[in-house]
């Protein structure tokens, strides 16, 4: 038995280092504007936590494509949750209200979408920040025949405070739907609060929801040069299956105790880590293939586990949480992280001001040898907010920066030739944007959802800009 265990660990480590074969080199990155459409000329607008409720980039998915149609979700000026759809290439969106009204002026309370392929339903989870959530699902088959199915409120069920009777936690935040290779739908979420929370999973098999349980721990001691903390939460940069069936997750830790920072004006985020699962999120391994956590079990991914950190950084640089990630055609993981580099000082004292003045984004990836590489993207953030990462059909990387600016690097260069391709001028975007992570694979178009700048609580236009990528 011991020999089998050692062999299994060795095989897992080998698979982690070389998960697949990448495509042959193709054309480099390029963008061709393909039009802009308006979702809502007067969407709700308020700034909280330096963000907008309709455009938080951790929203998975605020915009998605399935079987030739694209779907979007947002809140209107009168606070109603709305779902829109259009045929790909169409400039006209059909909209329907989902039967829920936004409760608070809190930018965390985003709407996230998912599709259960086993029964063709659209699922919505919304309006949650360390409290309950609202869940709505469509009739079966709605997503399978969009051209032949009317888009009306009658196609959606009544809002619920549970998942069809499954109550998860009274401290619920950050819903993220992800489809398994078999077509099941999983829901990732945080139980608990910032600085003291655990990540968990639930799963829908086409008939019912099941709670798989928590897979990260909040306990253990983290010590910096300034002090210690004994409680935290893991913030995910994403949770995504690659084409080979592996589930990937980059993350940062946020400590509860501010004593770990050099100054109170920063944030307690530290280190970029990575884990993966080859059994649909039941067992979690570090980059070397060692088991570091079991979902629903007593052994959870912890800050004290070895082999998690792929880019070490102490809490003094205002490292962003919940940035973004993607996987390439070989199944190798990529992420965007951002912080204030040490060349601008060793201690951030004002999180928003310091990131806006000196924040930089970095591309972190695993190469074919299994080594981790990091490249600075030479475009200043000029914002405290997040950047989204997508890869095109040739594995070229695109960073969609705040204000809708887009930089890119070629796979052929080893992602060393980052440059800005689009300056965002004319969008008048507030800051963070939402991208359609699912559309590129279907028709080679990058869709970016953004909201125009406004002031106070004056509603503003919510739009989707499309860009054709290399064919």
């Amino acid at each position: 038995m011991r020999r089998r265990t050692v062999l299994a660990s060795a095989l897992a480590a080998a698979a982690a280092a070389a998960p697949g074969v990448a495509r042959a080199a193709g054309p480099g990155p390029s963008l061709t504007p393909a039009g802009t459409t308006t979702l809502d000329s007067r969407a709700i607008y308020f700034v909280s936590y330096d963000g907008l409720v309709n455009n938080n980039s951790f929203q998975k998915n605020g915009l998605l494509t399935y079987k030739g149609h694209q779907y979007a979700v947002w809140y209107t000026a009168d606070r109603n949750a709305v779902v829109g759809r259009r045929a790909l290439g169409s400039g006209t969106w059909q909209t329907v209200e989902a039967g829920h009204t936004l409760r608070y002026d809190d930018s965390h309370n985003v709407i996230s979408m998912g599709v259960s392929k086993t029964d063709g339903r659209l699922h919505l989870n919304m309006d949650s920040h360390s409290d309950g959530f609202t869940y709505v699902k469509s009739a079966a088959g709605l997503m399978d025949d969009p051209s032949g199915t009317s888009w009306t409120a009658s196609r959606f069920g009544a809002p619920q405070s549970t998942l069809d009777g499954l109550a998860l936690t009274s401290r619920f935040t950050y819903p993220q739907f992800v489809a398994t290779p078999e077509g099941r739908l999983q829901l990732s979420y945080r139980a608990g609060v910032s600085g003291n929370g655990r990540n968990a999973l639930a799963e829908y098999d086409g008939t019912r929801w099941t709670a798989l349980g928590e897979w990260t721990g909040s306990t253990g001691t983290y010590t910096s040069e300034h002090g210690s903390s004994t409680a935290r939460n893991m913030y995910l940069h994403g949770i995504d299956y690659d084409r080979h069936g592996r589930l990937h997750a980059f993350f940062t830790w946020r400590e509860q105790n501010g004593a770990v920072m050099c100054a109170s004006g920063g944030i307690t985020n530290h280190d970029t880590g990575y884990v993966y699962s080859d059994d649909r999120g039941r067992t979690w391994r570090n980059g070397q293939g060692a088991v570091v956590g079991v979902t629903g079990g007593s052994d959870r991914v912890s800050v004290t586990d070895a082999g998690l950190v792929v880019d070490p950084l102490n809490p003094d640089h205002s490292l962003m949480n919940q940035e973004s990630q993607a996987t390439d055609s070989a199944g190798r993981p990529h992420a965007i992280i951002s912080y204030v580099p040490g060349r601008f000082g060793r201690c951030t004292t004002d999180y928003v001001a310091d990131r806006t003045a000196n924040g930089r984004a970095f591309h972190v990836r695993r190469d074919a040898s299994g080594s981790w590489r990091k490249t600075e993207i030479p475009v200043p953030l000029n914002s405290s907010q997040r950047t989204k990462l997508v890869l095109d059909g040739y594995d070229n990387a695109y960073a969609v920066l705040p204000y809708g600016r887009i930089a890119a690097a070629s796979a052929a260069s080893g992602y060393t030739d980052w440059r800005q391709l689009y300056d965002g001028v004319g969008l008048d975007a507030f800051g963070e944007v939402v991208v359609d992570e699912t559309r590129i694979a279907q028709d080679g178009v990058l869709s970016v959802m953004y909201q125009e700048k406004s002031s106070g609580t004056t509603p503003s236009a919510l739009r989707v800009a499309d860009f054709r990528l290399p064919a």
Side-chain angles (χ1 to χ4, degrees), residues 12-20 199 215-216 234-253 270-279 283-293 300-303 305-313 319 324-328 330-337 364-367 370-373 389:
N199 291 334
W215 61 275
T216 70
M234 175 193 285
Y235 275 118
L236 295 176
H237 286 313
I239 184 164
D240 300 278
Y241 284 97
D242 65 26
R243 65 185 58 203
H244 310 288
R246 176 169 289 180
L247 184 60
H248 302 262
F250 282 92
F251 62 87
T252 61
W253 295 108
H270 63 90
D271 297 323
T272 298
Y274 168 78
V275 291
Y276 71 91
S277 173
D278 282 335
D279 59 0
T283 305
W284 295 91
R285 299 177 182 271
N286 65 17
Q288 294 75 48
V291 174
V292 289
R300 300 176 184 175
V301 181
S302 167
V303 73
D305 285 329
L308 298 181
V309 176
V310 301
D311 190 64
L313 189 71
L319 174 68
S324 59
Q325 65 174 42
T327 57
D328 63 27
R332 291 191 288 263
H334 298 239
I336 295 290
I337 64 174
V364 177
R365 67 185 180 92
R366 195 164 202 175
D367 67 17
S371 299
W372 293 100
R373 307 288 184 186
L389 173 67

Side-chain angles (χ1 to χ4, degrees), residues 48-121:
S48 97
Y49 296 92
D50 207 30
L52 302 180
V53 72
N54 284 331
N55 271 99
N56 256 317
S57 68
F58 57 73
Q59 196 174 349
K60 185 181 179 76
N61 296 282
L63 193 63
L64 67 80
T65 297
Y66 189 75
K67 293 192 175 182
H69 278 66
Q70 189 172 49
Y71 300 81
V73 283
W74 69 95
Y75 295 104
T76 63
D78 56 5
R79 312 180 74 86
N80 286 323
V82 168
V83 191
R85 77 171 182 184
R86 65 168 174 171
L88 290 182
S90 171
T92 302
W93 291 83
Q94 298 174 290
T95 61
V96 63
E97 292 186 355
H100 177 73
T101 303
L102 177 67
R103 295 175 297 160
Y104 313 121
D105 282 359
D106 185 334
S107 64
H108 291 81
N109 291 33
V110 300
I111 309 173
S112 295
M113 291 185 288
V115 179
S116 51
K117 298 179 181 179
T118 56
D119 60 358
R121 295 182 193 269

Side-chain angles (χ1 to χ4, degrees), residues 190-393:
R190 185 187 72 192
V193 298
S194 175
N196 190 10
R198 288 86 51 208
N199 291 334
L201 288 170
E203 186 174 85
Y204 178 75
D205 63 4
T207 302
R208 64 188 181 94
W209 283 96
T210 301
L212 301 184
E214 297 176 358
W215 61 275
T216 70
S218 57
T219 58
T221 299
Y222 168 78
T223 302
S224 75
E225 61 188 283
H226 310 293
S228 296
S229 175
T230 57
R232 68 204 45 81
N233 72 280
M234 175 193 285
Y235 275 118
L236 295 176
H237 286 313
I239 184 164
D240 300 278
Y241 284 97
D242 65 26
R243 65 185 58 203
H244 310 288
R246 176 169 289 180
L247 184 60
H248 302 262
F250 282 92
F251 62 87
T252 61
W253 295 108
R254 172 171 291 182
E255 298 300 318
Q256 186 180 63
N257 190 346
V260 299
M261 294 188 296
C262 60
S264 61
I267 50 176
T268 59
N269 297 344
H270 63 90
D271 297 323
T272 298
Y274 168 78
V275 291
Y276 71 91
S277 173
D278 282 335
D279 59 0
R280 309 301 185 254
R282 272 67 171 179
T283 305
W284 295 91
R285 299 177 182 271
N286 65 17
Q288 294 75 48
V291 174
V292 289
V294 177
T295 300
S298 58
D299 180 18
R300 300 176 184 175
V301 181
S302 167
V303 73
T304 57
D305 285 329
L308 298 181
V309 176
V310 301
D311 190 64
L313 189 71
N314 69 21
D316 296 340
H317 297 274
S318 291
L319 174 68
M320 175 53 82
N321 49 280
Q322 297 164 289
E323 201 104 31
S324 59
Q325 65 174 42
T327 57
D328 63 27
S329 61
R332 291 191 288 263
H334 298 239
I336 295 290
I337 64 174
S338 65
Y339 57 89
V340 177
R343 66 179 183 270
F344 296 110
R346 298 287 179 177
C347 180
T348 56
T349 58
D350 185 312
Y351 159 68
V352 172
D354 290 346
R355 280 184 55 91
T356 301
N358 296 313
R360 297 294 187 273
F362 298 82
H363 176 212
V364 177
R365 67 185 180 92
R366 195 164 202 175
D367 67 17
S369 71
S371 299
W372 293 100
R373 307 288 184 186
K374 184 171 80 169
T375 304
E376 181 173 338
I377 299 173
V379 182
L381 291 179
N382 298 326
S383 168
S384 66
Q385 297 179 295
R386 300 172 179 88
T387 295
K388 294 295 291 183
L389 173 67
V390 296
L391 303 179
D392 69 18

